[in-house]
Amino acid sequence: MDIRDKMIVALDFSDLESVKNLVEELEDLVTFYKVGLELYLNTNGEILEYLDSKGKKVFLDLKFHDIPNTTTMASIFAAKKNIAIFDVHSGGGKEMMNSVVKAVKNINPETMIIGVTILTSFSEESIYEIYKSKLSLNELVLNMAKITKEAGMDGVVCSALESKEIKNICGTSFKTICPGIRLKDSNTNDQKRVMTPKEAIKNGCNYLVIGRDITKSENPRLITKQILNEIEEGLKEIC
Ligand code: C5P
């Protein structure tokens, strides 16, 4: 296994020039990039052609959420573009997720389809305000992960702290993709619950999504190498 494939660098930029500077600087160190709404829209989708031309894998983080037919049509686009991973909101329901899985796997069985359970920006209070549910935020996340698995999806985006618990419920082959990763002593910014790359790997995370630790660093290559070293150490400890 190529250790680099465990790390997905979040390209939280609005223009192609900034992306090109970073991707070229990190050339040999990074194989996988995350493209979100901001970058996708600002580049009119051109970012996908650019990353493809550089031979990079893509996690298309557009979080589709609509009725089954509309979400499935958008997902077919991702499957045809040879995207490695894309995500849909698990809150769209089992029927929606199942329809996406059937259509996408038929076109490209390798494409991984990931559910977004409850956004990490929600607090207990703000989730109660919407759903009026007696369940805790954690119970809601675990229930949504279970439904996501039952719909045939490949995994979920979750905090590294939730990874182990999710795998206990959904099985070890169910993938966890974890943002909120920080090297020791780095700025947590707006992330509330963080883990180091090594801890996250030891907690069972399959892919680590890393943004500002790398993109805002004065020496992105050095930081990227430190993260890769931690991933390697973590993997050795769980083997
Ligand atoms: O800069 P940082 O490492 O915090 O970036 C994390 C990336 O993961 C950002 O692109 C952010 O939008 C994304 N993300 C997240 N929490 C989620 C889902 C996605 O931080 N629950």
Side-chain angles (χ1 to χ4, degrees), residues 29-230:
L29 297 178
V30 178
T31 55
F32 220 142
Y33 285 100
K34 180 173 91 71
V35 173
L37 277 168
E38 180 194 10
L39 182 60
Y40 186 79
L41 293 173
N42 272 293
T43 62
N44 293 314
E46 273 179 45
I47 181 64
L48 299 185
E49 274 73 50
Y50 170 69
L51 291 172
D52 190 45
S53 75
K54 303 294 286 181
K56 304 299 179 190
K57 296 186 192 191
V58 174
F59 168 18
L60 187 64
D61 181 23
L62 300 185
K63 300 186 178 72
F64 300 144
H65 193 171
D66 212 310
I67 59 171
N69 183 59
T70 309
T71 313
T72 302
M73 290 309 170
S75 302
I76 286 173
F77 164 85
K80 287 188 176 160
K81 284 278 177 193
N82 225 359
I83 298 293
I85 303 177
F86 75 95
D87 53 7
V88 305
H89 271 282
S90 301
K94 216 183 217 175
E95 186 191 339
M96 180 266 259
M97 289 189 278
N98 195 244
S99 166
V100 168
V101 169
K102 279 192 185 142
V104 168
K105 299 288 178 185
N106 198 25
I107 297 169
N108 190 348
E110 299 292 309
T111 310
M112 278 179 50
I113 318 160
I114 298 295
V116 177
T117 57
I118 291 174
L119 294 169
T120 43
S121 50
F122 273 101
S123 63
E124 293 282 353
E125 293 73 36
S126 54
I127 204 79
Y128 182 76
E129 189 176 40
I130 294 179
Y131 296 112
K132 301 290 180 208
S133 166
K134 298 257 179 328
L135 297 180
S136 70
L137 191 53
N138 185 250
E139 285 168 328
L140 284 170
V141 167
L142 294 177
N143 183 51
M144 283 175 100
K146 186 170 159 280
I147 290 166
T148 305
K149 160 83 180 168
E150 286 167 5
M153 304 261 289
D154 296 295
V156 285
V157 180
C158 65
S159 141
L161 291 126
E162 290 156 359
S163 181
K164 211 171 238 170
E165 218 172 348
I166 286 175
K167 281 175 182 273
N168 283 342
I169 291 171
C170 301
T172 48
S173 61
F174 193 64
K175 305 281 188 285
T176 52
I177 303 200
C178 305
I181 306 294
R182 290 290 181 276
L183 283 166
K184 200 167 160 286
D185 299 331
S186 57
N187 188 343
T188 55
N189 311 105
D190 52 355
Q191 296 285 12
K192 305 278 186 294
R193 304 198 303 139
V194 300
M195 261 195 174
T196 65
K198 186 173 169 182
E199 286 168 340
I201 290 288
K202 286 170 70 181
N203 221 34
C205 300
N206 296 97
Y207 298 93
L208 311 186
V209 177
I210 307 197
R212 284 162 290 186
D213 254 12
I214 292 177
T215 57
K216 300 279 183 225
S217 160
E218 283 177 8
N219 191 342
R221 283 191 71 85
L222 181 73
I223 295 293
T224 305
K225 283 181 190 165
Q226 284 176 9
I227 292 168
L228 290 171
N229 281 341
E230 283 210 19

